[in-house]
Structure formats: C-alpha cells, structure tokens
Amino acid sequence: MKKFFQYAFAAVIAVSAFTSCSDDDDPVVPGANIENKSYTATDGLNLVVNGEPLVGKTVTFTKGADDNATIKLAGEGFDLSSIMGQIGTKAEIQQPGLMVPTCGVIPGSPEYEFQVKLIGTGDECVFEGGEETEYCTFKYSGKVTKDALDFNITDLKLKNTSLVGNWKFPEFNPWGDVMSTAVTWDAEAIPTINFMGFPMPIPIQGVVGMAMAMEIVPDPLDPTNKISPNEVLTKLLKNVEFREDGNIVAEYTDLETEDLNPVKSPIGIAQYVITEEGKFLLFLNPQQIVATTISNATKALGTRAPEITTVIEQLLSQLLPLIKNGIPLEWAQYYYTDSMSDEIIPIENTFSFTIGKEVLLPLLRTITPVLSDPEVKSQLVELAKEDMGEMAASLEGILDALPDIVKTTSEIKLGINLEKQK
C-alpha cells in the first residue's frame, strides 16, 4: 500500500509538471490584449513624419489573425454639418456625422491601409517595414500598447520630384514682363467698362489683368496706402517650398503679429503629388476651404438667404470631391510677347501655376445667376466704391455681361507666376 501511494504521488507530480510545462510552452500571441482602435493626437497617438511631429491625423490599429494587424493612415475628418448649421442651410445638409476627410498622412492618399507583422507580447508590440504607393515610398516603425501608439515614418519621398525647391514671386515691377498673377480667359462675349469716363469694350482677360494691376486695395502693411492686388501677393507670400516628402510649406507675412515677421505654415496643411509632367494634384486643409467659401459667398450674396443656402450647397457639392481627390493644377514655362517684334520670349526659371476650366467653369456657372441679381449687383457695386475707385463704375457692366461671358468661355486659367530659386 505504501508503494501504491508513492507511485500515485509520483504520477500526480509528473502530471502537474507536464501541465505546467505545457502552459509555459503555449505560444504568446502578439497584441492579443490590444483593442482595435483609431488613435489621434488627443488620444494616445504620437505621429512623426521625417522627423517632424504631425497632428490632425488618425492611425487605426486593427488586430488580425495570429501576429498580423492592419494599419490605416488618414486625416482626421471634421463635421461639415456643424459649419452648415451656423448659416441655416437645409436640413439634409445638417445631417449629424457628415464627416469630410482631410489631408492624409501620405501625400496623394487620403487613406492608406497596409498589413504589418507584430512582434512582442499580448500587451505591447512593435512593427516595422516599408511601403510604396502610387506616388510615394516610405519606411515605418511603430509601437502599440493598450493606451498608446507611436508611429514613425522615415524616408517619405515622392517618386516624381520635378517641383522640389523654393519658389518666389518674381521681383515686383508694375511695368515688368512678369506679373504676380497668371490670367488666361478667352470668351466671345466682351464686357463694356468705364474708361476715363468713356464706355469701352475690353475682353474679360484684359479686365481682370487691369484689375490686378490697379492700385485699388489697401496695403496690408500700411492701410493708409493703396496698392495693386499683384503687389499685395508679393508682400504677403514670401516663399513656397515644394518638399521632397510631398508637403508644401508657405512662408508668409503674419499680419496678426506686431513685428510682421514671416512665419512658416506647418506640414500637413498642404500636400501635392505630380500625376504627370506639367500636372499635379493639390490637397488642402478642408476646414479652411469650406470656411472661406462660406464666408465669401455670404458676403457676396448679402441678405439673400434662400440664394445663400442654394449656392453654398451647390458650391460644396463641387468642392468636396476636390478636397478628397485633390485639386488639379498645371505648371508651365512662363512666356511673354515682345511688344515690338511679337516674339515669344520665355522667362528663365519662371513658371505659371494655374487652375483650369474643369474646376473654374462649374464654380462660375454656380455663382453667376446670383451675382446677376439686381439687388446683389447693387450691394457689390456699393462695396467696391470703397476701394476700387473708377473700376467700381465698371463693375455693374461686367456683372451684366457675366452670364454671356461664362456661357461663351472656351478657356480659362487663373493662378500665380513663381520663379524657382537656384
């Protein structure tokens, strides 16, 4: 009997030891205890791109089978209904949760999703690798826990870097060969303006060019002085840097500070990708686009509440796809025509950056019916008298002709001229 108990005890110990060893040998599933979650800067996300912190973005972690997970990079959306509700638009536009995407983390990709292999414990994992999108290449590394996600992107680079460098307005000269603005507007209809007290028909491209060159707006640095819109641009925008990582950083005069020192915009506000030589997509912060559109439309339309509602809805229906998919722009060598010989002469290192008719014409068709309303025209002319001087008298004629101008427009490009710095 004594030996029986000895054998039984030994058997129990052996089984216990085997069970213990079996438990110890159970494989640890990396990330098993980490919940699926979208991390933001205010909720555990530390996102760094090419050594610079980036905010206003989301990184979503979704656990897959075994040691796999899905990472999705995107911009934080904003609720359009909250903005639209402030101006009393129709109920269908005020739907709660109408989220509009912002610039993504990777230029050209409002959202980008890929798989990673996790290494670590059930509560903490790391991962790393490299990815290639249609327009970019980059490397990544990260660490994820129950409460936080550190995500680091390095070597982010555009495949096409033709625009990389610093760009500035050509030196301002009101009588020079290069203006700050680039205007092409071909239309059969011709407005009549008041020129030195006499009615004169001038093509719309000439009218816009004159308006941009006339000293009709207050100098932002000296409100007692009036300068041209062309010169305003040169005073405010000091430099545009197209970066290798797909970000556009603008250096501009900060009118909110007493010293008016130039400041730089943060990364992530504007991004670009080159789709083909001479063409690129621009991705901008949608909050700024929508706020500006609403503000400008409201000012232009005055007290016409029904029209404001309708026009803003139509404008937003055209702008929102551009926010998500990018605004198509072009760049091309700047030329001028010699007045004596009619010779076409290129300006070295100077290019026109323009938006074309595929974007501008739909917007013009939307806003033109309201701008042609007699009450709206009267309000705009009164506002123009404060700054535009003689041009204010011509504005009514231009607005009268606008429907025919838009209807007969065969080409329109608006933009700026920039010189690449050596």
Side-chain angles (χ1 to χ4, degrees), residues 35 55 67 87 100 120 151 177 186 194 202 205 220-222 270 279 294 307 325 357 379 386 395-396 409 411:
E35 297 180 358
V55 296
D67 57 356
I87 56 172
V100 177
F151 197 89
D177 298 319
D186 299 327
N194 187 313
I202 297 180
Q205 176 168 323
L221 307 185
D222 179 11
K279 296 184 178 182
I294 291 175
E307 288 88 347
N325 302 317
K357 66 179 182 180
Q379 291 173 349
E386 298 177 9
L395 183 58
E396 188 170 1
T409 292
E411 181 63 280

Side-chain angles (χ1 to χ4, degrees), residues 138-253:
F138 66 93
K139 297 177 182 178
Y140 64 85
S141 62
K143 182 178 76 172
V144 60
T145 67
K146 292 181 179 180
D147 303 314
L149 173 60
D150 295 331
F151 197 89
N152 186 34
I153 292 177
T154 58
D155 299 325
L156 174 60
K157 183 179 179 180
L158 297 178
K159 294 179 180 178
N160 188 326
T161 57
S162 298
L163 288 176
V164 169
N166 289 299
W167 298 76
K168 295 184 177 181
F169 285 116
E171 184 175 350
F172 180 75
N173 180 351
W175 310 110
D177 298 319
V178 187
M179 295 290 102
S180 306
T181 49
V183 180
T184 298
W185 195 340
D186 299 327
E188 293 181 15
I190 298 177
T192 298
I193 71 168
N194 187 313
F195 186 74
M196 299 182 68
F198 297 95
M200 179 176 294
I202 297 180
I204 187 63
Q205 176 168 323
V207 172
V208 176
M210 288 174 56
M212 296 304 295
M214 292 180 65
E215 297 178 346
I216 55 176
V217 294
D219 184 339
L221 307 185
D222 179 11
T224 63
N225 184 38
K226 287 190 176 180
I227 59 178
S228 70
N230 278 326
E231 192 173 0
V232 169
L233 289 173
T234 63
K235 287 196 171 188
L236 295 182
L237 184 60
K238 298 301 183 182
N239 183 73
V240 178
E241 181 188 4
F242 285 84
R243 292 175 39 154
E244 190 177 54
D245 62 5
N247 279 286
I248 299 175
V249 177
E251 185 176 358
Y252 59 95
T253 302

Side-chain angles (χ1 to χ4, degrees), residues 104-147:
V105 177
I106 307 302
S109 302
E111 295 183 351
Y112 184 69
E113 190 172 283
F114 57 98
Q115 303 292 314
V116 299
K117 185 178 181 65
L118 302 175
I119 300 172
T121 68
D123 300 316
E124 179 177 308
C125 298
V126 296
F127 52 87
E128 63 180 3
E131 285 289 314
E132 178 177 345
T133 71
E134 182 178 1
Y135 302 110
C136 306
T137 58
F138 66 93
K139 297 177 182 178
Y140 64 85
S141 62
K143 182 178 76 172
V144 60
T145 67
K146 292 181 179 180
D147 303 314

Side-chain angles (χ1 to χ4, degrees), residues 69-102:
T70 299
I71 298 292
K72 184 170 75 173
L73 309 175
E76 281 190 72
F78 78 100
D79 191 351
L80 180 60
S81 60
S82 64
I83 296 178
M84 299 303 293
Q86 296 173 9
I87 56 172
T89 55
K90 293 179 181 178
E92 58 265 27
I93 297 296
Q94 298 180 43
Q95 297 288 339
L98 182 57
M99 302 302 291
V100 177
T102 62

